[in-house]
Coordinates of all heavy atoms in Angstrom, one line a residue:
M1262 N 79.4 83.1 72.5 CA 79.1 84.0 71.4 C 78.1 83.4 70.5 O 77.1 84.0 70.0 CB 80.4 84.3 70.7 CG 80.2 85.3 69.5 SD 79.7 86.9 70.1 CE 81.1 87.5 70.9
T1263 N 78.2 82.1 70.3 CA 77.3 81.4 69.3 C 75.9 81.5 69.7 O 75.0 81.7 69.0 CB 77.8 80.0 69.1 OG1 79.1 79.9 68.6 CG2 76.8 79.2 68.1
V1264 N 75.6 81.2 71.0 CA 74.3 81.2 71.6 C 73.7 82.6 71.6 O 72.5 82.8 71.2 CB 74.3 80.6 73.0 CG1 72.9 80.8 73.6 CG2 74.6 79.2 73.0
L1265 N 74.5 83.6 71.9 CA 74.0 85.0 72.0 C 73.6 85.5 70.6 O 72.7 86.2 70.4 CB 75.0 85.9 72.7 CG 75.2 85.7 74.2 CD1 76.4 86.6 74.7 CD2 73.9 86.0 74.9
V1266 N 74.5 85.2 69.6 CA 74.2 85.6 68.2 C 73.0 84.9 67.7 O 72.1 85.5 67.0 CB 75.4 85.3 67.3 CG1 75.0 85.5 65.8 CG2 76.5 86.2 67.6
A1267 N 72.8 83.6 68.0 CA 71.6 82.9 67.6 C 70.4 83.5 68.2 O 69.3 83.7 67.6 CB 71.7 81.4 68.0
L1268 N 70.4 83.9 69.5 CA 69.3 84.6 70.1 C 69.0 85.9 69.4 O 67.8 86.2 69.2 CB 69.6 84.9 71.6 CG 68.6 85.7 72.4 CD1 67.3 85.0 72.4 CD2 69.2 86.0 73.7
L1269 N 70.0 86.7 69.1 CA 69.8 87.9 68.4 C 69.2 87.7 67.0 O 68.2 88.5 66.7 CB 71.1 88.7 68.3 CG 71.1 90.0 67.4 CD1 70.2 91.0 68.1 CD2 72.5 90.5 67.2
V1270 N 69.6 86.8 66.3 CA 69.1 86.6 64.9 C 67.6 86.1 65.0 O 66.8 86.5 64.2 CB 69.9 85.5 64.2 CG1 69.2 85.1 62.9 CG2 71.3 86.1 63.9
T1271 N 67.3 85.4 66.0 CA 65.8 85.0 66.2 C 65.0 86.1 66.7 O 63.8 86.2 66.5 CB 65.7 83.8 67.1 OG1 66.3 84.0 68.3 CG2 66.3 82.6 66.4
L1272 N 65.6 87.0 67.5 CA 64.8 88.2 68.0 C 64.4 89.2 66.9 O 63.4 89.7 66.9 CB 65.6 88.9 69.1 CG 65.6 88.1 70.4 CD1 66.6 88.8 71.4 CD2 64.2 88.0 71.1
I1273 N 65.4 89.5 66.1 CA 65.2 90.6 65.1 C 64.4 90.1 63.9 O 64.3 88.9 63.7 CB 66.5 91.1 64.5 CG1 67.3 90.0 63.8 CG2 67.4 91.7 65.6 CD1 68.6 90.5 63.2
P1274 N 63.6 91.0 63.2 CA 62.7 90.5 62.2 C 63.4 90.2 60.9 O 63.3 90.9 59.9 CB 61.8 91.7 62.0 CG 62.6 92.9 62.4 CD 63.5 92.4 63.5
T1275 N 64.1 89.0 60.9 CA 64.9 88.7 59.7 C 64.0 88.3 58.5 O 64.4 88.6 57.4 CB 65.8 87.5 60.0 OG1 65.0 86.5 60.7 CG2 66.9 87.8 61.0
T1276 N 62.9 87.8 58.7 CA 62.0 87.3 57.6 C 61.6 88.4 56.7 O 61.9 88.4 55.5 CB 60.8 86.5 58.1 OG1 61.2 85.5 59.0 CG2 60.1 85.9 56.9
I1277 N 61.0 89.5 57.3 CA 60.5 90.6 56.5 C 61.7 91.4 56.0 O 61.7 92.0 54.9 CB 59.5 91.5 57.3 CG1 58.9 92.5 56.3 CG2 60.1 92.1 58.5 CD1 58.2 92.0 55.1
G1278 N 62.8 91.4 56.8 CA 64.0 92.2 56.4 C 64.6 91.6 55.2 O 65.1 92.3 54.3
A1279 N 64.5 90.3 55.1 CA 65.0 89.6 53.9 C 64.2 89.7 52.7 O 64.7 89.7 51.6 CB 65.2 88.0 54.3
L1280 N 62.8 89.8 52.9 CA 61.9 89.8 51.8 C 61.5 91.2 51.3 O 60.8 91.3 50.3 CB 60.7 89.0 52.1 CG 61.0 87.5 52.4 CD1 59.7 86.8 52.9 CD2 61.5 86.7 51.2
L1281 N 61.7 92.2 52.1 CA 61.2 93.5 51.8 C 61.5 94.0 50.4 O 60.6 94.5 49.7 CB 61.6 94.5 52.9 CG 60.9 95.9 52.8 CD1 59.4 95.8 53.0 CD2 61.5 96.8 53.9
S1282 N 62.8 93.9 50.1 CA 63.2 94.5 48.8 C 62.6 93.7 47.6 O 62.2 94.2 46.6 CB 64.7 94.4 48.7 OG 65.2 95.0 47.5
A1283 N 62.5 92.3 47.8 CA 62.0 91.5 46.8 C 60.5 91.8 46.6 O 60.0 91.7 45.4 CB 62.2 90.0 47.2
I1284 N 59.8 92.1 47.6 CA 58.4 92.5 47.5 C 58.2 93.7 46.6 O 57.4 93.7 45.7 CB 57.7 92.7 48.9 CG1 57.7 91.4 49.7 CG2 56.3 93.3 48.7 CD1 57.3 91.6 51.1
G1285 N 59.0 94.7 46.8 CA 59.0 96.0 45.9 C 59.3 95.7 44.5 O 58.6 96.2 43.6
I1286 N 60.4 94.9 44.3 CA 60.8 94.6 42.9 C 59.7 93.8 42.2 O 59.4 94.0 41.1 CB 62.2 93.9 42.9 CG1 63.2 94.8 43.5 CG2 62.5 93.4 41.5 CD1 64.5 94.1 43.7
A1287 N 59.1 92.8 43.0 CA 58.1 92.0 42.4 C 56.8 92.8 42.0 O 56.2 92.5 41.0 CB 57.7 90.9 43.3
G1288 N 56.6 93.9 42.8 CA 55.4 94.7 42.4 C 55.6 95.4 41.1 O 54.7 95.4 40.3
M1289 N 56.8 95.9 40.9 CA 57.2 96.5 39.5 C 57.1 95.4 38.4 O 56.6 95.7 37.4 CB 58.6 97.1 39.6 CG 58.8 98.1 40.6 SD 58.3 99.8 40.1 CE 59.6 100.3 39.0
D1290 N 57.5 94.2 38.8 CA 57.5 93.2 37.8 C 56.1 92.7 37.4 O 55.8 92.5 36.2 CB 58.3 92.0 38.4 CG 58.4 90.8 37.3 OD1 59.0 91.0 36.3 OD2 57.8 89.7 37.6
R1291 N 55.2 92.8 38.3 CA 53.8 92.4 38.0 C 53.2 93.4 37.0 O 52.4 93.1 36.2 CB 53.0 92.3 39.3 CG 53.2 91.0 40.0 CD 52.1 90.7 41.1 NE 52.3 91.7 42.2 CZ 53.1 91.5 43.2 NH1 53.8 90.4 43.2 NH2 53.2 92.4 44.2
L1292 N 53.6 94.7 37.2 CA 53.1 95.7 36.2 C 53.7 95.5 34.8 O 53.0 95.5 33.8 CB 53.5 97.1 36.7 CG 52.6 97.8 37.7 CD1 53.1 99.1 38.1 CD2 51.2 97.9 37.2
V1293 N 55.0 95.1 34.8 CA 55.7 94.8 33.6 C 55.0 93.6 32.8 O 54.8 93.6 31.6 CB 57.2 94.5 33.8 CG1 57.9 94.1 32.5 CG2 57.9 95.8 34.2
Q1294 N 54.6 92.7 33.6 CA 53.9 91.5 33.0 C 52.6 91.9 32.3 O 52.2 91.3 31.3 CB 53.6 90.5 34.1 CG 54.7 89.7 34.8 CD 54.3 88.9 35.9 OE1 53.3 88.2 35.8 NE2 55.1 88.8 36.9
R1295 N 52.0 93.0 32.8 CA 50.8 93.4 32.2 C 51.1 94.6 31.2 O 50.2 95.3 30.8 CB 49.8 93.9 33.3 CG 49.2 92.7 34.0 CD 48.6 93.2 35.3 NE 47.8 92.2 36.0 CZ 48.4 91.3 36.8 NH1 49.7 91.3 37.0 NH2 47.7 90.3 37.3
H1296 N 52.4 94.7 30.8 CA 52.8 95.7 29.9 C 52.6 97.2 30.3 O 52.2 98.0 29.6 CB 52.1 95.5 28.5 CG 52.5 94.3 27.8 ND1 52.0 94.0 26.5 CD2 53.3 93.3 28.2 CE1 52.6 92.8 26.2 NE2 53.4 92.3 27.2
V1297 N 52.8 97.4 31.6 CA 52.8 98.7 32.2 C 54.1 99.0 32.8 O 54.7 98.2 33.5 CB 51.7 98.8 33.3 CG1 51.7 100.2 33.9 CG2 50.3 98.5 32.7
L1298 N 54.7 100.2 32.4 CA 56.0 100.6 32.9 C 55.7 101.7 34.0 O 55.1 102.7 33.6 CB 56.9 101.1 31.9 CG 57.4 100.0 30.9 CD1 58.3 100.7 29.9 CD2 58.2 99.0 31.6

């Protein structure tokens, strides 16, 4: 089970899946930094 799960985690796009929400929030934040809501 350990090896198969490790294979699955490396196959799926974990990196962008982990960062996708942060990218969207940061885009809003960059506008706020420039005083735009």
Side-chain angles (χ1 to χ4, degrees):
M1262 182 65 67
T1263 301
V1264 173
L1265 291 175
V1266 170
L1268 174 63
L1269 174 62
V1270 171
T1271 54
L1272 283 173
I1273 64 179
T1275 49
T1276 306
I1277 186 60
L1280 298 174
L1281 188 58
S1282 181
I1284 293 170
I1286 296 172
M1289 301 277 285
D1290 181 62
R1291 281 192 290 277
L1292 278 180
V1293 172
Q1294 291 176 40
R1295 289 165 172 82
H1296 290 186
V1297 178
L1298 290 181

